Amino acid sequence: MAITAPLVWLDGALVPSADATVPLMGHAPQRGSLVFDVGSFHETKSGPALFRVREHVARFLRSASIVGLSFGYDEAALVRAAIDVVAACERSEGLVRWSAFFAADEPDLIPRSADARVAVAALFYRDPPRTSPLRIAVFDDARKASIEVLSPEAKAGAAYLGPMIARRRATLAGADDVVLLDREGNVAEAPIANVFIVSGGVLRTPPLGAILPGITRDAVLAIAQSEGIAAREEPISPEAFAAADEAFLTATSMPIGPIASVNDRALAAAPGPITSKITARLLAAQRGEDPTRAAWVLPIEPVRS
Ligand code: PMP
């Protein structure tokens, strides 16, 4: 089954997805400079609705600015593009992926022109593709690129190469995913997800700095606060991770992945009670069932004919 919707928004128009391509000799495939962001849309009682779309677009614009891609679409235009692809895809749930890449068909290290093309597509997949609790591997030598190499805020293709190799190593070792460490050897994040643990009733997650500021991470922290769950953003050692009562990953494409084990050490519960409570509140917010979170949800208007 195709995971991309038949119509993709490319530089202002909906085109068949087969026509939304990057030049082979361009910078995106040859140097990994394509930047992207992934949002989601969900079924609500007033039809499909985008979740925290403005935050995703703002992060996309930040990634483009770090890499030096320039294009003429502002936040409003990129939100509008997402509405258009979701309205055209005739599905009530899925992901929205914004991509920007150097337009020129040349691989020079510094592109001669910063002009970029922008594509917005609706996609349908889960990553990692499973629903049961995750078996996580941690390796002392599988780490995030340090912030001096590349800002963790840049969602650029090249940033995912090391994490991809680390995840493959984890899957070859029988795990579902890997959690990378930061320069100090503390827990940083999974290749495409943030990490939370619960120990002694307290929710903990690594502080911003060496990790992507996940929008699901932010939603989980906001939910914890309103549910009266104590939460701390502080370093987590690999030992504390493996000894946690509960742990989970967060990412738009999951959105919460309970963790069953860390390096073959089973956690007490997956999902545990706090993970389950937060998951229920997050899914309710995505479905537009939490009036206190109405600002997170943007309904797709019916297509005008
Ligand atoms: N970390 C990385 C490196 C990611 O690629 C992602 C996915 N965007 C996340 C964390 C989770 O972010 P979000 O909750 O915004 O999807």
Side-chain angles (χ1 to χ4, degrees), residues 193-228:
N194 293 113
V195 181
F196 282 83
I197 69 168
V198 178
S199 43
V202 177
L203 186 66
R204 293 166 61 198
T205 194
L208 296 180
I211 60 170
L212 183 82
I215 292 161
T216 321
R217 175 188 181 278
D218 180 76
V220 165
L221 289 172
I223 288 169
Q225 189 174 29
S226 54
E227 293 297 312

Short mmCIF file of all heavy atoms in Angstrom, two decimals, residues 193-228:
data_model
loop_
_atom_site.label_atom_id
_atom_site.label_comp_id
_atom_site.label_asym_id
_atom_site.label_seq_id
_atom_site.Cartn_x
_atom_site.Cartn_y
_atom_site.Cartn_z
N ALA A 193 12.43 10.04 18.34
CA ALA A 193 11.49 10.18 19.46
C ALA A 193 12.22 10.66 20.70
O ALA A 193 13.41 10.39 20.88
CB ALA A 193 10.81 8.84 19.75
N ASN A 194 11.49 11.35 21.56
CA ASN A 194 12.02 11.74 22.87
C ASN A 194 11.75 10.64 23.89
O ASN A 194 10.94 9.75 23.65
CB ASN A 194 11.38 13.07 23.31
CG ASN A 194 11.80 14.24 22.44
OD1 ASN A 194 10.99 14.81 21.71
ND2 ASN A 194 13.07 14.60 22.49
N VAL A 195 12.44 10.73 25.02
CA VAL A 195 12.38 9.67 26.04
C VAL A 195 11.85 10.24 27.35
O VAL A 195 12.25 11.33 27.77
CB VAL A 195 13.79 9.10 26.30
CG1 VAL A 195 13.74 7.99 27.35
CG2 VAL A 195 14.43 8.59 25.03
N PHE A 196 10.95 9.49 27.98
CA PHE A 196 10.47 9.80 29.34
C PHE A 196 10.64 8.56 30.21
O PHE A 196 10.49 7.43 29.71
CB PHE A 196 8.97 10.15 29.31
CG PHE A 196 8.67 11.54 28.83
CD1 PHE A 196 8.59 11.82 27.48
CD2 PHE A 196 8.46 12.57 29.74
CE1 PHE A 196 8.31 13.10 27.02
CE2 PHE A 196 8.17 13.86 29.29
CZ PHE A 196 8.10 14.13 27.94
N ILE A 197 10.91 8.77 31.49
CA ILE A 197 10.83 7.67 32.44
C ILE A 197 9.95 8.12 33.61
O ILE A 197 9.72 9.32 33.81
CB ILE A 197 12.22 7.22 32.97
CG1 ILE A 197 12.86 8.28 33.88
CG2 ILE A 197 13.15 6.84 31.83
CD1 ILE A 197 14.08 7.76 34.63
N VAL A 198 9.45 7.15 34.35
CA VAL A 198 8.74 7.41 35.60
C VAL A 198 9.47 6.63 36.67
O VAL A 198 9.67 5.42 36.52
CB VAL A 198 7.27 6.94 35.52
CG1 VAL A 198 6.57 7.17 36.87
CG2 VAL A 198 6.52 7.61 34.38
N SER A 199 9.91 7.33 37.72
CA SER A 199 10.49 6.61 38.85
C SER A 199 9.99 7.25 40.14
O SER A 199 10.01 8.48 40.27
CB SER A 199 12.02 6.55 38.78
OG SER A 199 12.54 7.79 38.41
N GLY A 200 9.49 6.41 41.03
CA GLY A 200 8.92 6.90 42.29
C GLY A 200 7.79 7.89 42.05
O GLY A 200 7.65 8.86 42.79
N GLY A 201 7.00 7.68 41.00
CA GLY A 201 5.84 8.55 40.73
C GLY A 201 6.20 9.86 40.05
O GLY A 201 5.33 10.68 39.75
N VAL A 202 7.51 10.08 39.80
CA VAL A 202 7.93 11.34 39.16
C VAL A 202 8.27 11.07 37.70
O VAL A 202 8.99 10.12 37.38
CB VAL A 202 9.16 11.94 39.88
CG1 VAL A 202 9.65 13.20 39.17
CG2 VAL A 202 8.84 12.23 41.34
N LEU A 203 7.73 11.93 36.83
CA LEU A 203 8.01 11.84 35.39
C LEU A 203 9.30 12.59 35.12
O LEU A 203 9.46 13.73 35.59
CB LEU A 203 6.83 12.48 34.65
CG LEU A 203 6.79 12.41 33.14
CD1 LEU A 203 6.60 10.97 32.67
CD2 LEU A 203 5.64 13.28 32.62
N ARG A 204 10.21 11.99 34.38
CA ARG A 204 11.49 12.67 34.09
C ARG A 204 11.81 12.55 32.61
O ARG A 204 11.55 11.50 31.98
CB ARG A 204 12.61 12.06 34.92
CG ARG A 204 12.45 12.33 36.41
CD ARG A 204 13.36 11.46 37.24
NE ARG A 204 14.77 11.69 36.93
CZ ARG A 204 15.74 10.83 37.26
NH1 ARG A 204 15.46 9.69 37.87
NH2 ARG A 204 16.98 11.11 36.97
N THR A 205 12.39 13.60 32.06
CA THR A 205 12.80 13.59 30.65
C THR A 205 14.08 14.42 30.52
O THR A 205 14.27 15.39 31.28
CB THR A 205 11.66 14.13 29.74
OG1 THR A 205 11.94 13.82 28.38
CG2 THR A 205 11.45 15.63 29.88
N PRO A 206 14.97 14.06 29.60
CA PRO A 206 16.20 14.85 29.46
C PRO A 206 15.90 16.31 29.13
O PRO A 206 14.92 16.60 28.42
CB PRO A 206 16.94 14.17 28.30
CG PRO A 206 16.41 12.77 28.30
CD PRO A 206 14.97 12.89 28.72
N PRO A 207 16.70 17.25 29.63
CA PRO A 207 16.47 18.67 29.35
C PRO A 207 16.75 19.00 27.89
O PRO A 207 17.45 18.26 27.20
CB PRO A 207 17.48 19.38 30.26
CG PRO A 207 18.56 18.37 30.50
CD PRO A 207 17.92 17.02 30.42
N LEU A 208 16.20 20.14 27.43
CA LEU A 208 16.52 20.59 26.07
C LEU A 208 18.00 20.96 26.03
O LEU A 208 18.60 21.27 27.03
CB LEU A 208 15.65 21.80 25.70
CG LEU A 208 14.15 21.53 25.62
CD1 LEU A 208 13.40 22.80 25.24
CD2 LEU A 208 13.85 20.41 24.61
N GLY A 209 18.56 20.89 24.85
CA GLY A 209 19.99 21.22 24.68
C GLY A 209 20.58 20.27 23.67
O GLY A 209 20.94 20.68 22.57
N ALA A 210 20.62 18.98 24.02
CA ALA A 210 21.22 17.99 23.12
C ALA A 210 20.16 17.23 22.33
O ALA A 210 20.49 16.28 21.63
CB ALA A 210 22.07 17.00 23.92
N ILE A 211 18.89 17.63 22.45
CA ILE A 211 17.80 16.85 21.83
C ILE A 211 16.91 17.75 20.98
O ILE A 211 16.93 18.97 21.11
CB ILE A 211 16.93 16.18 22.91
CG1 ILE A 211 16.31 17.24 23.84
CG2 ILE A 211 17.76 15.17 23.71
CD1 ILE A 211 15.25 16.68 24.78
N LEU A 212 16.11 17.11 20.12
CA LEU A 212 15.11 17.88 19.38
C LEU A 212 14.00 18.29 20.35
O LEU A 212 13.54 17.45 21.13
CB LEU A 212 14.51 17.02 18.25
CG LEU A 212 13.51 17.79 17.39
CD1 LEU A 212 14.23 18.61 16.33
CD2 LEU A 212 12.51 16.85 16.72
N PRO A 213 13.57 19.55 20.30
CA PRO A 213 12.43 19.95 21.14
C PRO A 213 11.15 19.33 20.58
O PRO A 213 10.48 19.91 19.73
CB PRO A 213 12.42 21.47 21.05
CG PRO A 213 13.68 21.86 20.35
CD PRO A 213 14.13 20.67 19.55
N GLY A 214 10.84 18.14 21.03
CA GLY A 214 9.68 17.41 20.51
C GLY A 214 8.38 18.09 20.88
O GLY A 214 8.22 18.58 22.01
N ILE A 215 7.46 18.12 19.95
CA ILE A 215 6.17 18.75 20.20
C ILE A 215 5.30 17.82 21.05
O ILE A 215 4.54 18.26 21.90
CB ILE A 215 5.54 19.18 18.86
CG1 ILE A 215 6.41 20.33 18.30
CG2 ILE A 215 4.08 19.59 19.01
CD1 ILE A 215 6.26 20.60 16.83
N THR A 216 5.46 16.50 20.86
CA THR A 216 4.77 15.56 21.74
C THR A 216 5.36 15.64 23.15
O THR A 216 4.62 15.58 24.15
CB THR A 216 4.90 14.12 21.19
OG1 THR A 216 4.78 14.15 19.77
CG2 THR A 216 3.83 13.22 21.77
N ARG A 217 6.67 15.77 23.25
CA ARG A 217 7.32 15.96 24.56
C ARG A 217 6.72 17.14 25.30
O ARG A 217 6.37 17.05 26.47
CB ARG A 217 8.83 16.18 24.33
CG ARG A 217 9.65 16.51 25.56
CD ARG A 217 11.09 16.88 25.14
NE ARG A 217 11.94 17.19 26.27
CZ ARG A 217 11.97 18.38 26.88
NH1 ARG A 217 11.18 19.36 26.47
NH2 ARG A 217 12.78 18.57 27.90
N ASP A 218 6.57 18.26 24.56
CA ASP A 218 5.99 19.45 25.16
C ASP A 218 4.55 19.19 25.60
O ASP A 218 4.13 19.61 26.68
CB ASP A 218 6.05 20.59 24.13
CG ASP A 218 5.48 21.87 24.67
OD1 ASP A 218 6.16 22.52 25.47
OD2 ASP A 218 4.32 22.20 24.33
N ALA A 219 3.79 18.46 24.76
CA ALA A 219 2.39 18.16 25.11
C ALA A 219 2.33 17.29 26.36
O ALA A 219 1.49 17.50 27.24
CB ALA A 219 1.70 17.46 23.93
N VAL A 220 3.24 16.32 26.47
CA VAL A 220 3.26 15.42 27.63
C VAL A 220 3.57 16.23 28.90
O VAL A 220 2.93 16.04 29.95
CB VAL A 220 4.27 14.28 27.41
CG1 VAL A 220 4.59 13.56 28.71
CG2 VAL A 220 3.74 13.30 26.37
N LEU A 221 4.52 17.15 28.81
CA LEU A 221 4.85 17.96 29.99
C LEU A 221 3.67 18.84 30.40
O LEU A 221 3.37 19.00 31.59
CB LEU A 221 6.10 18.81 29.72
CG LEU A 221 7.42 18.01 29.65
CD1 LEU A 221 8.57 18.91 29.17
CD2 LEU A 221 7.77 17.37 30.99
N ALA A 222 2.96 19.39 29.40
CA ALA A 222 1.79 20.23 29.72
C ALA A 222 0.69 19.38 30.35
O ALA A 222 0.04 19.80 31.31
CB ALA A 222 1.28 20.90 28.43
N ILE A 223 0.49 18.17 29.83
CA ILE A 223 -0.55 17.29 30.38
C ILE A 223 -0.17 16.89 31.81
O ILE A 223 -1.01 16.89 32.71
CB ILE A 223 -0.74 16.06 29.46
CG1 ILE A 223 -1.46 16.49 28.17
CG2 ILE A 223 -1.51 14.94 30.18
CD1 ILE A 223 -1.47 15.45 27.07
N ALA A 224 1.11 16.56 32.03
CA ALA A 224 1.54 16.16 33.38
C ALA A 224 1.23 17.30 34.36
O ALA A 224 0.73 17.07 35.46
CB ALA A 224 3.03 15.84 33.38
N GLN A 225 1.52 18.52 33.94
CA GLN A 225 1.28 19.64 34.83
C GLN A 225 -0.19 19.76 35.19
O GLN A 225 -0.56 19.91 36.35
CB GLN A 225 1.78 20.93 34.19
CG GLN A 225 1.76 22.08 35.18
CD GLN A 225 2.39 23.34 34.62
OE1 GLN A 225 2.36 23.57 33.41
NE2 GLN A 225 2.95 24.15 35.48
N SER A 226 -1.07 19.64 34.17
CA SER A 226 -2.49 19.81 34.50
C SER A 226 -3.06 18.60 35.23
O SER A 226 -4.08 18.70 35.90
CB SER A 226 -3.31 20.18 33.26
OG SER A 226 -3.10 19.25 32.27
N GLU A 227 -2.41 17.45 35.13
CA GLU A 227 -2.88 16.26 35.85
C GLU A 227 -2.27 16.16 37.25
O GLU A 227 -2.52 15.18 37.96
CB GLU A 227 -2.51 14.99 35.08
CG GLU A 227 -3.23 14.82 33.76
CD GLU A 227 -4.74 14.67 33.93
OE1 GLU A 227 -5.18 13.86 34.77
OE2 GLU A 227 -5.48 15.39 33.23
N GLY A 228 -1.42 17.12 37.62
CA GLY A 228 -0.79 17.07 38.94
C GLY A 228 0.28 15.99 39.06
O GLY A 228 0.58 15.51 40.16
#
